[in-house]
Every structure is written in structure tokens, then in C-alpha cells.
């Protein structure tokens, strides 16, 4: 395996959903060919599984980017500590004006804000403030380069958990997240819910839905929603989010390589997708 100047940008695009979806569907994806040519000499032939494994090794060694962190959290926490039967993961969930990098929901929900060694802390205050409007547990995941900065960050609430992704890729708990519910905001949660989800909450509470013109329906639903007590809303809010991501076939998912676990999970694969993936991984890598 070589590394002919493969950049973090190239490897980041390589592990994106759009790239991966197009590649297993047989499309010609330039960034994929660029990685193949960057890893191996032209007279050598490798399978797509080899390419994925070696590209991921480069991420681990040189560019532990956001995807690497998410995939590590997914494998170490959801699959390693919890299970697909009891726990749901969400990613890139809009929360007020922020996007939650990674959320785990089982009996409780924890938002994980990722700060790799390549990130800055410019938006951290606003991100944490926004997360606490919809979730009562927040944690920061970072690496050793940022640990001193995180530990002495003046505006980081003591309730925010801190996890260190060590050089050996093990997660070390610096401090556990503590529950903080005083900033939970009904409007923030309502905006996260889909129509069917907030309707289910209203039907359970009122056994009815607002009878208003379509243009006023969203506002009418929020009006009813806002009158419910937070202790009623919050567990049902989490319950609806927990039902969003379900692995349809765990046996097929178990066959997905470690490097692709979170990517496949968040793409909500069908059985046809798994078949395409299995075939793709066995095929020789295409060169252009």
C-alpha cells in the first residue's frame, strides 16, 4: 500500500454517503478511482474491500476526521456497549441553529459533539447551548491535542461529559455527562419532530388533532403541544426519535465491515442494498 499524496479532503469524500451509494450502484466515481490509484501501483489488483480497509487505515493513521470519530463511537458504544435492539443512533440532527454530530438514545439520550484534532472551538458555546434545548445529556469527544483546552475551557458547563479518543482508538471517560433539564425548550423539540411524530404525541394526549385550515395546522399543533407538561413531552419526544433508525436485517448488517458500519447504518439499507454491497466488496477495484 502506498500513499501518493492522498489528502484528508479526498479521504473524507471517499467515506461519504453519496460517494458510497453511487459506487456500489456501479457509477463511475472519480474520488474512488483517485483513492485506488493513490494506494496501489497500477500492475497490482485489489478488491474493493481491500481499498476500503486500507483507506480507513490512512484515516486512522493520519487524518482522524469526523467520519472516523462517528464510526468509532458507533462501533464502541452502540455495538460494543449497547445493542441494535435497545439503542438508536442519529447523526447530523438539526437542533435550533446547530447540528448534533452523533446521538445515542436508549433509556436516555446523549448528544456527542465531536471536536477532532483538526477542529477549532469557535462554535462550541452555541452548540452546547442549543443541544440543551432539546436533550438533557451532552458530551464532548476529542483527542489528546485538545484535552488541556477542553479541561480549562471557561464556558463549558460542568454537566458536559468529556471523552477522549486515545491514540489506540479506545474511548476514555474523563467525566460523565450529568443530566441538565432546566433549558429544555418545547419549541426546539417540536421543530425536530416530524409531522407523524408530533401527531402521535397529540393523539395520545388529547385523542384528537386540531381542526384548523391547512395553513394554520402546524401552528395549531404546536399550540396544543406547548400546553403539555415537559415531563410528559420529553420521554415521548425521545421515544419517537428512537424509532427513526432501525436495522431491517441484523444478520446482513453483521456482515458489514467495521470500516463501513456507521455509514451503512445511517443510510438505512434495504436487502437489495446489502446484496449490492456484498457484490461490490468482492469485485476488483476499478481504475481510470
Amino acid at each position: 500500500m502506498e500513499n501518493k499524496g492522498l489528502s484528508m479532503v479526498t479521504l473524507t469524500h471517499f467515506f461519504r454517503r453519496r460517494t458510497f451509494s453511487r459506487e456500489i450502484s456501479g457509477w463511475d466515481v472519480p474520488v474512488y478511482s483517485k483513492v485506488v490509484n493513490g494506494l496501489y501501483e497500477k500492475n497490482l489488483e485489489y478488491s474493493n474491500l481491500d481499498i476500503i480497509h486500507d483507506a480507513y487505515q490512512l484515516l486512522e493513521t493520519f487524518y482522524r476526521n469526523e467520519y472516523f470519530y462517528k464510526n468509532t463511537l458507533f462501533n464502541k458504544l452502540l455495538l460494543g456497549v449497547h445493542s441494535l435492539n435497545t439503542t438508536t443512533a442519529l447523526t447530523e440532527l438539526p437542533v435550533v441553529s446547530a447540528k448534533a454530530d452523533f446521538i445515542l438514545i436508549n433509556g436516555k439520550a446523549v448528544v456527542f459533539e465531536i471536536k477532532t484534532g483538526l477542529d477549532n472551538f469557535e462554535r462550541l458555546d452555541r452548540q452546547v447551548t442549543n443541544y440543551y434545548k432539546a436533550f438533557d445529556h451532552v458530551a464532548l469527544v476529542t483527542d489528546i491535542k485538545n484535552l488541556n483546552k477542553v479541561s480549562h475551557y471557561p464556558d463549558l458547563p460542568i454537566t458536559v461529559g468529556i471523552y477522549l479518543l486515545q491514540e489506540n482508538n479506545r474511548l476514555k471517560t474523563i467525566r460523565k455527562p450529568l443530566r441538565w433539564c432546566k433549558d429544555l425548550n418545547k419549541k426546539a423539540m417540536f421543530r425536530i419532530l416530524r409531522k407523524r411524530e408530533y401527531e402521535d404525541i397529540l393523539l395520545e394526549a388529547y385523542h384528537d388533532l386540531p381542526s384548523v385550515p391547512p395553513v394554520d395546522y402546524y401552528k395549531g399543533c404546536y399550540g396544543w403541544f406547548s400546553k403539555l407538561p415537559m415531563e410528559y413531552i420529553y420521554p415521548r419526544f425521545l421515544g419517537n426519535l428512537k424509532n427513526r433508525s432501525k436495522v431491517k436485517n441484523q444478520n446482513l448488517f453483521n456482515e458489514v465491515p467495521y470500516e463501513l458500519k456507521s455509514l451503512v447504518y445511517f443510510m438505512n439499507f434495504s436487502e437489495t442494498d446489502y446484496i449490492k454491497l456484498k457484490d461490490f466488496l468482492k469485485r476488483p477495484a476499478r481504475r481510470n
Side-chain angles (χ1 to χ4, degrees):
M1 181 179 73
E2 300 184 355
N3 178 12
K4 301 175 182 177
L6 287 176
S7 68
M8 182 186 68
V9 172
T10 299
L11 290 169
T12 296
H13 282 285
F14 181 83
F15 284 101
R16 283 187 174 165
R17 295 183 215 180
R18 177 177 172 82
T19 302
F20 188 61
S21 176
R22 290 163 67 90
E23 187 64 34
I24 67 172
S25 297
W27 292 58
D28 181 16
V29 184
V31 71
Y32 208 91
S33 300
K34 186 174 182 179
V35 170
V36 174
N37 293 327
L39 286 174
Y40 306 111
E41 296 178 3
K42 290 190 175 181
N43 61 334
L44 299 177
E45 186 174 281
Y46 291 84
S47 70
N48 286 314
L49 178 59
D50 295 324
I51 304 302
I52 288 165
H53 175 73
D54 290 340
Y56 195 81
Q57 273 198 320
L58 283 182
L59 279 186
E60 179 177 342
T61 305
F62 300 109
Y63 311 116
R64 296 204 308 179
N65 64 358
E66 188 173 294
Y67 175 73
F68 183 84
Y69 271 69
K70 287 179 181 178
N71 196 54
T72 302
L73 288 171
F74 184 86
N75 281 285
K76 302 284 187 185
L77 297 182
L78 193 151
L79 299 182
V81 176
H82 305 289
S83 78
L84 293 170
N85 294 322
T86 63
T87 306
T88 293
L90 300 172
T91 187
E92 299 300 313
L93 183 73
V95 184
V96 193
S97 59
K99 278 191 177 181
D101 290 329
F102 190 84
I103 304 173
L104 278 185
I105 305 174
N106 43 38
K108 66 180 181 182
V110 182
V111 179
F112 292 88
E113 172 60 28
I114 294 170
K115 294 296 182 188
T116 75
L118 311 167
D119 292 328
N120 60 55
F121 285 62
E122 290 178 1
R123 298 177 296 141
L124 182 59
D125 298 351
R126 178 174 59 83
Q127 289 169 321
V128 169
T129 298
N130 286 334
Y131 298 152
Y132 274 130
K133 291 180 180 178
F135 299 94
D136 61 4
H137 288 81
V138 176
L140 184 66
V141 187
T142 191
D143 73 356
I144 193 67
K145 297 176 185 176
N146 288 329
L147 186 57
N148 186 61
K149 184 190 297 185
V150 169
S151 300
H152 296 90
Y153 197 76
D155 297 319
L156 191 68
I158 194 66
T159 53
V160 175
I162 300 175
Y163 294 91
L164 176 66
L165 183 58
Q166 301 176 98
E167 294 302 318
N168 60 6
N169 298 321
R170 292 182 179 177
L171 280 172
K172 180 179 180 180
T173 304
I174 305 302
R175 73 182 188 213
K176 292 184 178 181
L178 301 176
R179 185 168 183 260
W180 180 258
C181 57
K182 292 184 179 179
D183 293 326
L184 289 176
N185 181 282
K186 295 175 184 177
K187 187 68 171 180
M189 286 186 276
F190 189 76
R191 287 175 173 169
I192 291 171
L193 292 169
R194 297 166 179 166
K195 181 182 178 184
R196 177 190 55 77
E197 294 169 340
Y198 63 70
E199 285 182 337
D200 285 347
I201 293 174
L202 296 180
L203 283 169
E204 182 183 349
Y206 297 105
H207 308 290
D208 199 4
L209 293 170
S211 180
V212 294
V215 69
D216 296 322
Y217 187 70
Y218 183 86
K219 183 179 179 181
C221 285
Y222 175 67
W224 286 22
F225 184 87
S226 66
K227 292 180 173 64
L228 296 171
M230 184 60 74
E231 57 268 24
Y232 183 90
I233 289 174
Y234 190 63
R236 289 160 179 81
F237 167 74
L238 294 186
N240 275 281
L241 295 185
K242 187 178 179 181
N243 288 330
R244 284 193 182 180
S245 294
K246 294 291 183 185
V247 173
K248 298 178 179 66
N249 189 316
Q250 291 193 26
N251 290 329
L252 291 175
F253 183 78
N254 290 338
E255 297 176 7
V256 174
Y258 176 98
E259 297 88 348
L260 300 176
K261 287 288 191 187
S262 67
L263 194 63
V264 168
Y265 179 87
F266 291 125
M267 290 174 71
N268 295 316
F269 262 33
S270 66
E271 291 201 14
T272 301
D273 294 324
Y274 283 111
I275 293 169
K276 289 196 297 184
L277 172 62
K278 191 171 184 178
D279 178 63
F280 166 77
L281 292 175
K282 292 188 294 186
R283 291 200 308 263
R286 271 204 315 268
R287 292 181 183 271
N288 286 339

